[in-house]
Amino acid sequence: MPEETIVIVGASLAGAKAAETLRGEGYGGRVVLIGEEVERPYERPPLSKGFLLGQEPRERTHVHDREWYDHNRVELRLGTAATAVDPSRHRVTLASGEEVGYDRLLLATGASPRRLEVPGARLQGLYYLRTLADAAALREAIAPGGRRVVVAGAGWIGLETAAAARAYGNDVTVIEPEPTPLHAALGPEVGGLFADLHRRHGVILRLDEGVAGFWGAGQVSAVVTSGGAEIPADVVIVGIGVRPNTALAERAGLEVSDGVLVDQSLRTSDPDIFAAGDVAAAYHPLLGRRLRVEHWANALDGGPAAARAMLGREVSYDRVPYFFTDQYELGMELSGVAAPGEYDEVVYRGDVAGLEFMAFWLSGGRVVAGMNVNVWDVAQDVQALIRSGEPVDRARLADPKTPLADLL
């Protein structure tokens, strides 16, 4: 009998952790991990944090050292793009024309930055951040300091890179079409707190304003806003979100809608194909709907969950979405979903002005999301509140003297 094979397309955090779990769970068959980048699997948070700031060496971003793959018999095929999947023949075709057979397949193809399609968008000096190579190039551009940096987009990537640019001593302007930073992620109330944070650190925020184009002779020299203003720029960082890399799944005939559609066990519309990480739009049993989560924790946890499902284990992937950020003196963890329309009110506890507080988003009196800012070892309690689905006493929730566990 030929050896059973599991192929993982996407040498990402999700893909690497899936391979690790397969071996950890005792799978003895062939494991092939295919990645388009030449870099072995790495974690992405340092790209806009420690690595970008020069505080974390390149080697520390990698999920495993090179020897781990050899020791665990994981065939690491780097610099190799998968161009097609044939579900009927159980074959993955590579750019070289080679075909790799599989018994089960995991798609961990991630996402790609959305591109600005405006006049001047092909000028030099525009930076998108997704890969280690992107981060290294951006660090080289902002590390000398004294540059005029314009950031398009006040989402997580935009704000983290703005903070890094300020740390290097650059002048920074952030342009955002929404009324507050992080408006889609946190709503206007907490988004306004991040606006105040960046203004205190000298960042100029141009809100309710988009990017209409760029000026320059080969190299960008100015950003033109939707209001007609011209902002001088030596470096432009574009952080306007990502699109899931679904082309491979679409060509294979899998069900796709803002991601590869998967059930709570991360199985696609084909019973032998699974998807995890940024690319997966998974049915979330706790929330009762599909959700595509682009954060680090989803890759960290989703890869292993998919691996167990591929081994025939019972899997119900219901992790509470989790995210963290570090900007200036602010360290933060966010659990749950806090987008506008998902909540009725925000309740605070602690010292908001002193950046040592918690915020809770409530819907019908129930906690749907919680954020702890410079308050630690509480994320599990926040997630327990979200999981309970029970109404909470608003006054006790706002009282720092009331342990969160007592609210359950």
Side-chain angles (χ1 to χ4, degrees):
M1 293 289 291
E3 183 179 30
E4 185 177 88
T5 300
I6 291 180
V7 172
I8 302 169
V9 177
S12 55
L13 174 60
K17 298 304 284 188
E20 178 185 304
T21 302
L22 290 172
R23 291 305 188 215
E25 294 279 327
Y27 178 69
R30 186 183 178 202
V31 177
V32 183
L33 181 55
I34 298 168
E36 189 169 356
E37 290 185 58
V38 296
E39 196 86 38
R40 69 178 183 273
Y42 55 87
E43 303 198 29
R44 297 192 189 277
L47 274 56
S48 57
K49 300 180 180 73
F51 179 77
L52 184 60
L53 285 164
Q55 300 167 349
E56 190 169 345
R58 190 185 198 97
E59 295 72 25
R60 284 188 57 194
T61 67
H62 292 120
V63 183
H64 304 107
D65 59 34
R66 187 63 182 84
E67 292 71 26
W68 182 90
Y69 298 94
D70 296 333
H71 179 74
N72 287 279
R73 297 185 300 111
V74 174
E75 298 178 35
L76 191 57
R77 310 284 294 272
L78 298 177
T80 304
T83 57
V85 172
D86 186 337
S88 64
R89 296 173 54 239
H90 282 60
R91 293 285 186 274
V92 176
T93 302
L94 307 183
S96 64
E98 177 187 355
E99 290 189 344
V100 181
Y102 66 87
D103 291 278
R104 285 173 297 286
L105 170 67
L106 174 62
L107 298 177
T109 49
S112 298
R114 293 179 181 271
R115 301 276 164 171
L116 270 175
E117 299 297 337
V118 296
R122 301 296 181 268
L123 290 170
Q124 296 296 309
L126 272 65
Y127 294 84
Y128 293 82
L129 183 57
R130 185 64 183 177
T131 68
L132 258 175
D134 293 339
L138 178 57
R139 185 172 70 182
E140 184 177 352
I142 64 175
R147 314 294 301 280
R148 298 169 300 179
V149 177
V150 175
V151 180
W156 296 116
I157 291 296
L159 294 189
E160 289 179 354
T161 54
R166 284 297 295 146
Y168 282 122
N170 299 285
D171 295 330
V172 178
T173 300
V174 176
I175 301 172
E176 168 57 52
E178 296 287 355
T180 65
L182 302 168
H183 190 271
L186 303 179
E189 301 90 346
V190 179
L193 299 180
F194 279 86
D196 294 341
L197 171 70
H198 280 264
R199 287 185 177 118
R200 285 199 301 271
H201 284 269
V203 174
I204 297 172
L205 295 177
R206 299 186 70 101
L207 303 174
D208 291 311
E209 201 165 9
V211 172
F214 304 98
W215 290 113
Q219 171 75 29
V220 68
S221 59
V223 179
V224 182
T225 75
S226 56
E230 293 186 17
I231 313 300
D234 304 304
V235 174
V236 174
I237 304 168
V238 182
I240 57 172
V242 298
R243 288 191 175 93
N245 294 328
T246 58
L248 197 63
E250 291 177 52
R251 290 196 295 268
L254 302 179
E255 292 183 7
V256 171
S257 179
D258 185 35
V260 181
L261 301 185
V262 295
D263 63 17
Q264 64 189 41
S265 67
L266 303 182
R267 190 189 304 266
T268 72
S269 53
D270 183 290
D272 292 327
I273 303 178
F274 297 73
D278 291 4
V279 76
Y283 177 79
H284 198 292
L286 179 66
L287 301 178
R289 59 185 172 88
R290 289 194 185 278
L291 191 67
R292 191 173 65 81
V293 179
E294 299 169 358
H295 302 324
W296 164 85
N298 184 49
L300 182 73
D301 299 327
R308 295 186 181 98
M310 287 191 290
L311 295 178
R313 314 283 196 266
E314 287 292 327
V315 170
S316 180
Y317 186 60
D318 65 348
R319 297 273 186 158
V320 174
Y322 169 88
F323 177 76
F324 72 95
T325 190
D326 298 297
Q327 300 171 33
Y328 312 112
E329 71 274 20
L330 178 147
M332 181 277 279
E333 296 175 297
L334 172 68
S335 299
V337 178
E342 302 280 346
Y343 65 92
D344 304 319
E345 63 174 327
V346 180
V347 174
Y348 301 95
R349 71 156 58 189
D351 183 2
V352 176
L355 292 182
E356 191 171 331
F357 70 96
M358 301 183 69
F360 300 92
W361 289 259
L362 274 61
S363 177
R366 297 167 174 82
V367 176
V368 295
M371 181 177 81
N372 44 293
V373 174
N374 295 329
V375 176
W376 305 112
D377 301 322
V378 294
Q380 292 299 320
D381 289 333
V382 173
Q383 294 188 15
L385 283 174
I386 296 169
R387 284 189 170 281
S388 76
E390 295 295 327
V392 296
D393 184 299
R394 188 184 182 283
R396 297 181 72 211
L397 182 65
D399 182 5
K401 296 178 182 178
T402 302
L404 293 178
D406 290 356
L407 297 171
L408 294 172

